[in-house]
Amino acid sequence: MDGIVLLIEDEEEIAELLRLVFEKEGFRLLHADSGEKGLDILTQRAPRAVLLDLGLPGMDGTEVCRRIRAKSNVPIIMLTARDDEVDTVVGLEIGADDYVTKPFSPREVVARVKAVLRRAEQVPAPPAAITVADFEIDSGRRQVRTPSGDIVEPTAREFDLLWHLAHNRGIVLSRSQLLEAVWGYDYFGESRTVDVHVRQLRKKLEGIPIETVWGVGYKLGGRAR
Ligand code: CA
């Protein structure tokens, strides 16, 4: 793989570390040490992916992420300093595609970038809909019609998770199976990513029959139509 990756990060050491690994993999890493500079580079150079530090001086990472999303669908991977910032990134729904918690291995970051690029390049599946317990899950529009007729648009990742569960309705899927299928890489440890997304889906789609199977994972139950 090749192409330009934009890194928005104020810590020079991290930038140097990532630059080495990305260039070894054939990417060109452009570094901006503030959100403002990053946004400038984004418009001039059209990178294939953005690595975005959450804790930036001046305009913080969440605001930078929102501004990028307002004008571009470029894959964004957030770099978060602390574990508890992960919930912030996911919970705020600022439109990031993935996140990595510091300290990270540069190779892991490269793997994440490759994974989002692979996903971005996949040809979209033909539109289809699955109805479960009167929730109509529409993969063409990537939205859900609730039993009361409301239209809900989950985030991209939430929708992918729901779609995968719906596709395997009645089957218990482990957290690692879900991570593999929806996030697309081998994932160690942070299975709560799935939990956080399930929680969001339950909140947005009240009554959606996503069942927790203790010690295993999740399944989508309910009557099919
Ligand atoms: Ca920082």
Side-chain angles (χ1 to χ4, degrees), residues 9-11 53 55-57 102:
E9 164 68 75
D10 58 311
E11 282 170 70
D53 183 27
L56 289 167
K102 295 177 186 175

Side-chain angles (χ1 to χ4, degrees), residues 10-46:
D10 58 311
E11 282 170 70
E12 196 62 45
E13 268 177 43
I14 292 180
E16 279 312 306
L17 200 64
L18 289 175
R19 188 196 310 278
L20 283 174
V21 178
F22 272 87
E23 290 186 352
K24 206 180 278 177
E25 295 282 330
F27 290 97
R28 172 107 194 274
L29 193 77
L30 297 179
H31 175 215
D33 60 8
S34 73
E36 290 84 352
K37 288 182 199 163
L39 289 166
D40 279 349
I41 293 177
L42 184 82
T43 44
Q44 292 158 14
R45 304 298 298 275

Side-chain angles (χ1 to χ4, degrees), residues 77-94:
I77 298 174
M78 301 295 296
L79 308 175
T80 68
R82 298 188 316 272
D83 224 31
D84 59 356
E85 287 180 346
V86 171
D87 283 352
T88 312
V89 172
V90 178
L92 283 174
E93 291 167 13
I94 52 178

Side-chain angles (χ1 to χ4, degrees), residues 120-193:
E121 278 153 16
Q122 273 164 12
V123 182
I130 297 176
T131 301
V132 177
D134 289 332
F135 286 88
E136 189 187 305
I137 306 163
D138 182 335
S139 83
R141 294 191 177 86
R142 298 184 66 82
Q143 64 188 24
V144 182
R145 183 191 295 273
T146 70
S148 55
D150 294 332
I151 300 295
V152 177
E153 291 188 1
T155 65
R157 208 50 78 81
E158 289 163 9
F159 188 89
D160 290 344
L161 177 63
L162 179 63
W163 184 250
H164 192 70
L165 285 164
H167 224 79
N168 295 281
R169 196 177 44 230
I171 298 170
V172 182
L173 298 168
S174 70
R175 288 177 177 79
S176 56
Q177 283 173 324
L178 290 167
L179 283 166
E180 178 73 40
V182 176
W183 279 260
Y185 45 79
D186 293 325
Y187 205 92
F188 299 101
E190 292 191 49
S191 59
R192 72 198 176 95
T193 303

